[in-house]
Amino acid sequence: MLKDHAKLMNAIEATGEIIGRKKLQKIIYIAKKLSFPFQERFQFHFYGPYSEELTLRIEELCNIGFIEEVKEKKGGYFQYRYTLTDTGKEFLSLNEVEMPHIKDCLTDMNEQSARFLELVSTVLFFDNLPRAEVAEKIFTLKSKQRYTEDEIDEAYSYIESLKNKAKTH
C-alpha cells in the first residue's frame, strides 16, 4: 500500500524541497521518461505534460501529513514549496524505495528553472517525432514562451546528460 506515494516522497526527499507545482510535475514526468518507476499518467496540457493523478497523490500525502505544502505569496502569484515532514521521513525509512541514481538526477533537475524543465518535458513528450517536428511543435504550442533553437539544442543535450546520470540508454 502507498507504494506509488512512497516513490513521490522519495523524490521530494532526494531534492530536499521542490518549489513550484509546475516544477514538481515536470521533474516527475522527466524522471518517468528516464525509466524511473513512476506510475502516474500524463497528458499534454497548457504548461506541457501534466498528471491529475500526481496532483491527487501529492494532495493525499499533504492530508496525511507526510508532505508539507507551504503556500507563499510571490509578487502577484502564489508559489508552493514541498518538503517531506518528519512523519514522512519516518514512513519512508520503514518503506524503502529502490531507485538507484535518482538523487543525482532529481537534484540536477531541481536546480533548473521551471521554464527550462517545461521545455525539456515537452521535448520528451514528443520524443517519438523527428527533431525538426519537435522544434516546430514547440514553436507552435509554446509560442508565448519564446523558446529559441539554442534552447531546444540545450534541452536535447540536457536530456542526454540526465540519461547518463540515470544510467539508462
Side-chain angles (χ1 to χ4, degrees):
M1 184 176 151
L2 293 178
K3 197 165 34 178
D4 291 330
H5 292 73
K7 290 173 190 170
L8 294 174
M9 292 166 60
N10 187 49
I12 291 172
E13 183 183 49
T15 60
E17 75 174 357
I18 296 176
I19 300 171
R21 287 179 169 171
K22 180 164 81 169
K23 190 173 221 180
L24 175 64
Q25 287 275 339
K26 302 314 163 221
I27 286 173
I28 299 302
Y29 179 76
I30 294 166
K32 181 177 179 171
K33 290 295 280 187
L34 293 171
S35 301
F36 288 108
F38 292 101
Q39 302 307 315
E40 292 76 16
R41 288 187 303 273
F42 286 80
Q43 302 92 14
F44 199 77
H45 206 262
F46 188 68
Y47 295 111
Y50 171 80
S51 171
E52 182 70 28
E53 287 176 60
L54 175 55
T55 298
L56 293 172
R57 283 204 176 110
I58 293 295
E59 223 173 84
E60 290 166 355
L61 288 165
C62 290
N63 290 339
I64 54 180
F66 287 171
I67 289 178
E68 182 180 30
E69 177 187 72
V70 176
K71 184 177 177 179
E72 304 168 324
K73 191 150 178 59
K74 281 284 229 193
Y77 67 98
F78 286 100
Q79 181 172 277
Y80 296 83
R81 183 181 298 263
Y82 297 94
T83 53
L84 211 54
T85 63
D86 289 341
T87 312
K89 288 175 187 168
E90 190 178 321
F91 175 84
L92 213 48
S93 72
L94 302 171
N95 296 276
E96 294 264 333
V97 177
E98 273 303 305
M99 287 198 270
H101 313 295
I102 194 157
K103 186 171 178 52
D104 291 343
C105 290
L106 296 189
T107 300
D108 189 321
M109 282 189 259
N110 202 28
E111 291 168 359
Q112 307 302 316
S113 71
R115 180 181 181 277
F116 183 65
L117 292 177
E118 183 178 335
L119 174 61
V120 170
S121 63
T122 301
V123 166
L124 285 167
F125 192 83
F126 295 112
D127 64 358
N128 60 322
L129 299 174
R131 193 172 175 144
E133 279 185 51
V134 172
E136 194 55 45
K137 286 214 177 282
I138 289 166
F139 295 138
T140 305
L141 297 170
K142 302 273 165 209
S143 59
K144 284 193 171 98
Q145 291 282 32
R146 302 189 194 292
Y147 290 118
T148 64
E149 287 283 354
D150 286 346
E151 287 175 305
I152 293 170
D153 290 343
E154 191 182 332
Y156 274 99
S157 297
Y158 185 67
I159 290 164
E160 287 310 307
S161 78
L162 284 176
K163 284 179 179 178
N164 289 333
K165 275 188 178 156
K167 307 290 187 256
T168 62
H169 296 282

